[in-house]
Every structure is written in C-alpha cells, then in structure tokens.
Amino acid sequence: MWRGFWTLVARAARGPRRSCTRQGSGAPVPGSGATIFALSSGQGRCGIAVIRTSGPASDHALRSLTAPRDFPPARSACLRLLSPPRSGEPLDRALVLWFPGPQSFTGEDCAEFHVHGGPAVVSGVLQALGSVPGLRPAEAGEFTRRAFANGKLSLTEVEGLADLIHAETEAQRRQALRQLDGELGHLCRAWAKTLTKLTVKCGSWSAGRGFAQERM
C-alpha cells in the first residue's frame, strides 16, 4: 500500500510535463495524433451545446464548416453559419472559437462550435465533422489525456477535474477546485522534497556507519 502511495506522490511531485511550443497554427505538434472531435457539453436537449476538436486538422475542420467566411481570430467568438463541406446545406448559426496550440486546453490546435442544443443540430454538426478528412470521434477522456500528455495538466489536476465534473455538493466542489488549482500537487511536491532529503541523510548515515565498522 505504501509503495503505491509514494509512487503517486512522486508522480504528482513531477508536475505537468513540458510540451513543445510553437507559434502560429496548422502544423502538427510533434507527437500529436489524429484530430479528434466530441460533444463536450451534456447529452440531451439544451439551449447551447459545445462541440470541440483537438489536433492538427482543427483549423481545416473549422474552415470546412464555415466556408466561405473569413477564418476567426484566435480566442474570439464569431458568429458563423455552419454547413457540411459536401452538401453545403445550412446546419445552424453558431458561435465558433479558434484556440491555436499550445495556448489551448490540450496544448494542440483546438476549435469550438457553440451550437443550439437540439439533438438534430448536434447530430448534424457531429456528422459534418466526421466527414472532414483527418478527423475521428474522440475516445472517452481523450481530451484530458492529451492535456496531460502535453503538460497542460498534472496527474492531481486531472483527478481534480474529474472530481469537479462529478461534484454534487458544495464541499465536493470546493475540494475538487482546490485540487484542480494544484493544491494537492504542491503538497505532494513538498512531501517528495522532504523524502529526498531524508533519503540522502539516511544514505550518508549508512555509508558512514559501514566505513566505521570496516575500520574496527
């Protein structure tokens, strides 16, 4: 049990892994895979549904569904008419956002489509994205997994995000938010630093004792 606990402490203490940085967009981040898309908001009817993409073809997906309008500026919401690239039949008027990597949730190029939350609209936009070359539906948790792999979230922050999503009480929400903000990670790093110092001291003491016994 303790071995597993200290392994978790060590992994959390390392914090987020550094990812490569680049300027601009359109070029794949080294090590990135296919471009993924998924409904990020809840299932069912709602006023607004959020569909997002992540990966090197996100800009192509955004252009394909919003052509012939100009490409939106980074991190600015723009109203666009969405249409499938093949038929061109209007799907919905939506707010679209462009997040070039690495300044995004996953560290990759990302796009968001804020559409009306009716099932037919959501299904139509998802099908349109699926028809864009280079895109595939995301696996469960894949956006968060990419954020972790690209150094955007640490292990404890990933757990905090999951807890925040599933929080049902105020106490759970507060605890999850503290963990997402890195409070547990800071604590684990402090523990790891203390353990490292103790290990060094114990090693020095053992070496000194062995040397003394040899002299005797």
Side-chain angles (χ1 to χ4, degrees):
M1 180 184 72
W2 288 108
R3 179 178 298 177
F5 173 73
W6 292 121
T7 299
L8 176 61
V9 170
R11 292 177 64 186
R14 287 197 294 267
R17 287 178 285 181
R18 292 184 178 180
S19 60
C20 58
T21 59
R22 60 187 173 86
Q23 299 295 328
S25 60
V29 177
S32 64
T35 299
I36 56 175
F37 66 91
L39 174 66
S40 295
S41 53
Q43 298 285 345
R45 291 178 175 82
C46 55
I48 299 295
V50 179
I51 298 171
R52 61 179 175 175
T53 71
S54 179
S58 289
D59 60 337
H60 179 54
L62 189 53
R63 293 180 193 277
S64 296
L65 268 65
T66 60
R69 295 294 301 275
D70 294 336
F71 197 76
R75 290 172 289 279
S76 296
C78 297
L79 183 64
R80 293 288 188 270
L81 178 65
L82 303 184
S83 302
R86 294 178 180 175
S87 68
E89 181 182 356
L91 287 171
D92 190 22
R93 289 193 178 276
L95 290 178
V96 298
L97 294 99
W98 167 241
F99 299 96
Q103 284 79 36
S104 68
F105 173 73
T106 62
E108 303 173 332
D109 286 347
C110 293
E112 289 188 0
F113 302 85
H114 295 221
V115 303
H116 292 98
V121 174
V122 172
S123 176
V125 175
L126 291 175
Q127 289 181 21
L129 288 172
S131 69
V132 177
L135 269 70
R136 65 165 175 80
E139 299 174 0
E142 190 168 2
F143 281 89
T144 303
R145 186 162 65 247
R146 291 191 178 198
F148 174 71
N150 291 327
K152 290 296 182 175
L153 293 174
S154 68
L155 177 63
T156 54
E157 288 169 342
V158 169
E159 294 173 342
L161 177 60
D163 291 343
L164 185 61
I165 292 173
H166 293 94
E168 297 181 353
T169 67
E170 278 297 299
Q172 291 174 340
R173 180 190 62 78
R174 293 192 189 99
Q175 175 61 30
L177 192 58
R178 286 196 297 268
Q179 187 166 337
L180 180 59
D181 287 340
E183 184 175 301
L184 180 58
H186 295 321
L187 180 60
C188 289
R189 282 189 284 275
W191 288 347
K193 187 175 181 180
T194 301
L195 286 172
T196 301
K197 291 181 178 179
L198 289 174
T199 301
V200 172
K201 289 183 179 179
C202 289
S204 300
W205 179 79
S206 297
R209 183 181 179 186
F211 179 72
Q213 289 177 347
E214 288 179 2
R215 294 188 62 182
M216 292 175 62

